[in-house]
Amino acid sequence: MKRFAIGLAATFLAGASHSTSPAYSHGASVEKLEASRVAAMRQATSAFLKTLESEQREAVVAALDDKDVRTNWSNLPVSMAPRSGLAVSDMNAEQRRALHAMMAAAFSSQGYLKTTTIMWHEDVLNDSFTAFIASMRDDDPRKPEAFAFAENYDSEKFFVSVFGDMNDDNWGWMVSGHHYAANFTVADGRIAFTPLFLGASPQIVQKGRYAGWRILQHEADRAFALLASLSPTQLEDAIISEEVDDEVFMGKGREMAFGQPAGLRASDLDPVQESLLDALIDEYLDDASHEASARQRSAIEADGPETLHFEWWGPTDDPAARYMYRVRGPSILIDYVRERSADGGFNHVHSIVRDPSNDYGSKWLELHYEEAHQD
């Protein structure tokens, strides 16, 4: 059923027929919905810009073809990777409300909730890190530097930039902070939402009033559900290495290193496994609006299951260990990795969804954005 639904989305969004058939009528309504979503995004972004003072607006607005600003996102703390744009800390209440309206207009409810939870989580991280520093000896020479570094973990240290002229057909925006980067592009009525980086440390809060809260859990659970369904032969195809390669994750500055797919082909899955892979992909695509995710699904479906691969690094029997997985095709790249955390374990996750053919809407805009490498 899912493949059939994706196939319909591909037909509708491609506008394959101009007849008066029911299928085309549905297709027209899909395109109308996308136009409505673009209008809502434009209205919310314009409303945000109208709340800004002239100096703030100068900090926020940049050209759509300014690759240095457009790609100036990071998952690192701000002191390690300074951002462009205007910080939330420099916004008043009206501007903050307008910013959240802008984000809510572009994301699904799921994506907006993940976004705001990751922002809020910075304050949780600050509390736990500050408590750890307080437990250090007063004569510990690392203590002053640690207190200064704790200022990185702050829900107000997220930065926004808007690209292009809101009166044009092509424009976009970016929000970036620690463990977070969202890039939305509108090009002639089409919505691109990659690259989108989501991360968290700790992934599961261990202590205090928020103990048990977890971020990006379904991204892990759906991958393990697919993994558990594989036969020994399929598992052998999927596993790239028993250890995670630090150079594999397709983060900032790695977009030119997509390379050739490996691992298990989607065309080699049975129907149940195919559904599990679809559910894993949906967990990422559905962070964007229904209209944007449907367009991305149509591109993935058009590529064909023989081009889509599932790859795994690390152990397959321990969700708390360090592992990484990838879903890769011509129009999609999903990476999820568990990194080392402060307690010595791996309660720290990074994830990213990219479109190798159209990050930043580059194919539609006929522009090339080359990201600087990030250590």
Side-chain angles (χ1 to χ4, degrees):
M1 286 298 294
K2 188 58 178 295
R3 290 290 178 190
F4 175 69
I6 294 178
L8 285 179
T11 301
F12 296 154
L13 290 173
S17 170
H18 290 278
S19 70
T20 56
S21 67
Y24 175 68
S25 298
H26 193 142
S29 66
V30 169
E31 292 178 346
K32 187 175 181 180
L33 285 171
E34 188 168 28
S36 177
R37 173 68 64 174
V38 168
M41 291 173 61
R42 184 192 303 273
Q43 181 180 15
T45 305
S46 297
F48 167 68
L49 292 174
K50 288 177 181 177
T51 68
L52 303 179
E53 302 292 339
S54 57
E55 290 185 1
Q56 292 176 311
R57 189 182 180 94
E58 185 176 343
V60 166
V61 177
L64 198 60
D65 61 357
D66 188 337
K67 68 182 181 75
D68 291 334
V69 180
R70 270 222 85 180
T71 65
N72 190 28
W73 60 270
S74 176
N75 60 283
L76 295 176
V78 174
S79 68
M80 299 174 67
R83 311 300 204 271
S84 303
L86 181 68
V88 172
S89 59
D90 294 327
M91 299 180 193
N92 61 31
E94 179 190 13
Q95 292 163 346
R96 295 178 191 213
R97 291 194 298 269
L99 170 64
H100 279 268
M102 183 185 83
M103 292 190 294
F107 282 109
S108 66
S109 57
Q110 164 184 304
Y112 177 69
L113 180 59
K114 289 181 184 179
T115 290
T116 52
T117 303
I118 288 171
M119 290 178 167
W120 157 82
H121 198 56
E122 288 300 289
D123 291 340
V124 176
L125 179 56
N126 182 286
D127 288 346
S128 62
F129 192 64
T130 300
F132 168 74
I133 296 170
S135 69
M136 297 170 66
R137 292 169 53 94
D138 289 339
D139 59 354
D140 191 322
R142 300 171 298 170
K143 197 166 186 176
E145 183 179 355
F147 266 120
F149 195 79
E151 296 178 359
N152 280 290
Y153 306 137
D154 186 340
S155 61
E156 293 185 320
K157 287 200 172 179
F158 288 80
F159 294 74
V160 58
S161 295
V162 176
F163 307 102
D165 188 331
M166 299 307 300
N167 294 316
D168 293 340
D169 291 333
N170 302 330
W171 53 275
W173 60 255
M174 173 177 67
V175 175
S176 177
H178 184 218
H179 278 145
Y180 185 81
N183 294 274
F184 277 84
T185 307
V186 173
D188 293 326
R190 297 165 293 185
I191 306 167
F193 61 94
T194 63
L196 175 62
F197 184 104
L198 305 176
S201 178
Q203 188 255 320
I204 302 176
V205 181
Q206 298 295 313
K207 300 177 181 179
R209 66 186 301 184
Y210 299 115
W213 284 55
R214 54 191 63 205
I215 301 176
L216 306 178
Q217 184 64 47
H218 288 173
E219 286 82 349
D221 293 343
R222 293 192 185 282
F224 270 97
L226 173 59
L227 201 66
S229 76
L230 301 181
S231 70
T233 300
Q234 290 174 316
L235 196 60
E236 184 177 345
D237 289 340
I239 296 173
I240 306 300
S241 172
E242 294 182 356
E243 295 183 356
V244 177
D245 184 344
D246 290 336
E247 300 301 316
V248 170
F249 186 85
M250 290 294 182
K252 173 74 177 297
R254 299 285 178 82
E255 86 285 4
M256 298 304 293
F258 287 118
Q260 294 299 314
L264 178 64
R265 291 179 185 269
S267 55
D268 292 333
L269 302 177
D270 66 31
V272 172
Q273 295 167 336
E274 191 176 90
S275 296
L276 292 170
L277 177 60
D278 284 337
L280 175 58
I281 295 172
D282 284 350
E283 186 62 40
Y284 290 85
L285 300 191
D286 288 349
D287 290 338
S289 67
H290 170 74
E291 298 79 13
S293 63
R295 182 173 288 282
Q296 198 70 39
R297 284 190 190 96
S298 73
I300 297 169
E301 179 69 12
D303 293 334
E306 68 280 357
T307 70
L308 191 63
H309 294 71
F310 177 70
E311 306 169 33
W312 188 275
W313 290 259
T316 60
D317 57 354
D318 185 0
R322 190 179 191 218
Y323 63 83
M324 176 179 155
Y325 68 79
R326 169 173 293 162
V327 178
R328 172 162 48 169
S331 302
I332 189 70
L333 186 136
I334 295 168
D335 277 355
Y336 181 100
V337 64
R338 294 187 70 86
E339 300 283 13
R340 187 169 297 280
S341 50
D343 61 5
F346 300 99
N347 192 18
H348 176 185
V349 296
H350 291 172
S351 74
I352 194 166
V353 56
R354 310 195 70 149
D355 183 343
S357 67
N358 196 38
D359 263 355
Y360 307 99
S362 57
K363 179 173 67 175
W364 299 337
L365 298 172
E366 297 183 350
L367 294 171
H368 174 66
Y369 299 99
E370 183 176 350
E371 296 174 352
H373 182 70
Q374 172 180 281
D375 291 330

